[in-house]
Amino acid sequence: MRALTWQGKRKIEYSDVPDPVIQEPTDAIIKVTSTGICGSDLHLYEVLAPFLDPGDVLGHEPMGEVVEVGSELDGLKTGDRVVIPFQIACGRCFMCEQGLQTQCETTQVTDQGMGAALFGYTKLYGQVPGGQAEYLRVPQAQYGPIKIPHGPPDDRFVYLSDVLPTAWQAVEYAAVPKDGTVVVLGLGPIGDMAARIAVHRGLRVIGVDLVPERLERAKIRAVETLNLNDHKDIVNVVRDLTDGRGPDSVIDAVGMEAHGSPVAKVGQQLTGLLPDVVARKLMQTAGVDRLAALYTAIDMVRRGGTISLIGVYGGAADPLPLLVMFDKQVQLRMGQANVRRWADDILPLLGDDDILGVDLFATHHLPLSEGPAAYEMFQKKQDGAVKVLLNP
């Protein structure tokens, strides 16, 4: 089959790879019909090269049709239409029963000290072949796949793999009080969808970004928008809009590649010049993230407010202003989204009314074969790219 494979920093190839096969009785094989490029895929494209090997199959936002099932799968059959969560979870262990599928004790990547295995996401998360491919092997298929009806277009459901539950969890963790205000830093796919969910809940939402197309998309969905390029002191601008206190909650949907943080930028660049074994150790023990967005969130949120951290950070020793956080009584919640925990809450919003605008959420639909160019376009924020869906 053909798939998108990582071959080096900023180098993705559309390659021939082995067809997936059933390895365990709880496996399934799906034919992928749609698969997304995620903002966190750009971390593989740009920053996390030391944790990848040439030929690794990328992608963790797939959906499709079941074409083969293992001998122990009773609830799944060939022909079923399914969305595949980005994490691999068993549904039976202590963590899964707590709704913490990203910490699944069955698939935890214990040799790396990490949580549940993820599709297409580095040695840190199990180096499991991903879903930017024609076919995908799905481990733990007795639990993971979300069955959806035939009929509506893929765009209606594909975001259940990551975007929707990640954005939903971001808003849940933000704990915005009734009639409160939440600021969303970064209006890429996750920030955009988090803003939509917050508006749907009746909250006041202020979105901050520096890409005009992203700001315009949010404005159409009743989000108050601020262009970072027009407001050098964004914290005080937001305070002026929130009775001088700051917002009740801030969602950091940016993560490690925030603008600013020049020292950390140099650190990221230096790791790219080191041998992989040295770079891996450095990134696992040093502070190499660009923390401008997180520092802004800490400064901006009102005293006693909540920060919901959903953007991906990767450094193990990143410095945080703990004195400020303690003094302000900032509450901080974070983590990979627990997809199956939120799926049942989200599905009713994906009916004919399309409350969250998922049908038109993607800015680009491209063949899988154009994936390498799509990565470059998305990374450079060209052509108004916010969300790219690929079709094998």
Side-chain angles (χ1 to χ4, degrees), residues 306-322:
T306 301
I307 295 172
S308 175
L309 178 55
I310 205 68
V312 175
Y313 288 95
D318 292 316
L320 291 176
L322 290 176

Side-chain angles (χ1 to χ4, degrees), residues 5 26 107 110 133-134 196 227 280 293 332 357:
T5 61
T26 52
T107 73
T110 53
E134 293 178 323
R196 296 181 187 208
N227 190 326
R280 283 197 295 271
L332 177 62

Side-chain angles (χ1 to χ4, degrees), residues 199-232:
V199 167
H200 170 66
R201 295 186 180 189
L203 303 172
R204 182 189 182 194
V205 185
I206 301 172
V208 179
D209 206 295
L210 41 68
V211 180
E213 295 89 347
R214 298 183 176 194
L215 291 161
E216 188 58 33
R217 277 167 59 98
K219 188 182 297 183
I220 292 170
R221 306 293 301 194
V223 175
E224 299 174 47
T225 57
L226 295 172
N227 190 326
L228 200 57
N229 289 320
D230 297 336
H231 303 286
K232 300 306 178 186

Side-chain angles (χ1 to χ4, degrees), residues 360-379:
L360 299 177
F361 190 71
T363 53
H364 294 74
H365 292 82
L366 298 169
L368 186 65
S369 59
E370 295 184 24
Y375 264 85
E376 181 177 7
M377 173 184 66
F378 189 27
Q379 195 267 342

Side-chain angles (χ1 to χ4, degrees), residues 296-310:
T296 298
I298 293 167
D299 194 12
M300 180 184 292
V301 71
R302 70 162 170 81
R303 291 178 177 272
T306 301
I307 295 172
S308 175
L309 178 55
I310 205 68

Side-chain angles (χ1 to χ4, degrees), residues 1-30:
M1 70 171 184
R2 304 281 274 173
L4 296 186
T5 61
W6 185 90
Q7 298 296 337
K9 184 175 180 178
R10 301 193 197 122
K11 187 177 182 182
I12 308 297
E13 289 185 359
Y14 181 58
S15 310
D16 289 314
V17 300
D19 291 343
V21 297
I22 297 288
Q23 298 178 23
E24 301 291 340
T26 52
D27 286 352
I29 308 293
I30 70 161

